[in-house]
Amino acid sequence: MANDGDPKVTDELAESFNELFTSVSTMVKSELQGTNNLLELLEKMNLRVAEEYNGFGDVASGLRVFVQQLKSKSGNFDDYVKQIDGIEEQVTEFEVVISMLDRYLSLLESKVLSVYQPTSINK
């Protein structure tokens, strides 16, 4: 620093500081531009997602209406389902009765055959 008054050293120092500040300024601008680009990309992505979910909202609303219609229609079938259950129960009871009658008829048939069989052998 012996040459404090030397204009050449001062100009070099000023030029070095100027280059330093210019480089730092360029670096900050680049960083800010990168951040700005990321924010713009994020904004575009948010808009795209909002459009997508807006469509899903319409679909969900349509599905809700469809489900309500199905519920009202299925309510009309409850009476029929109860009638079918009653018929099924009656059929099950009839099957039991038929099975008992079948066994009874089989027993009766065997008794009738045993009664008439010896008679037909004697002739």
Side-chain angles (χ1 to χ4, degrees), residues 85-100:
D85 288 341
I87 292 170
E88 183 179 8
E89 188 176 315
Q90 289 175 353
V91 167
T92 303
E93 291 172 2
F94 286 141
E95 286 175 346
V96 169
V97 170
I98 290 171
S99 176
M100 289 173 52

Side-chain angles (χ1 to χ4, degrees), residues 17-33:
F17 276 128
N18 191 24
E19 287 177 11
L20 174 69
F21 289 135
T22 302
S23 297
V24 169
S25 174
T26 303
M27 182 186 76
V28 169
K29 282 181 185 178
S30 297
E31 287 289 324
L32 290 175
Q33 185 61 42

Side-chain angles (χ1 to χ4, degrees), residues 58-68:
D58 294 342
V59 169
S61 178
L63 286 175
R64 182 180 51 80
V65 169
F66 181 69
V67 166
Q68 287 174 345

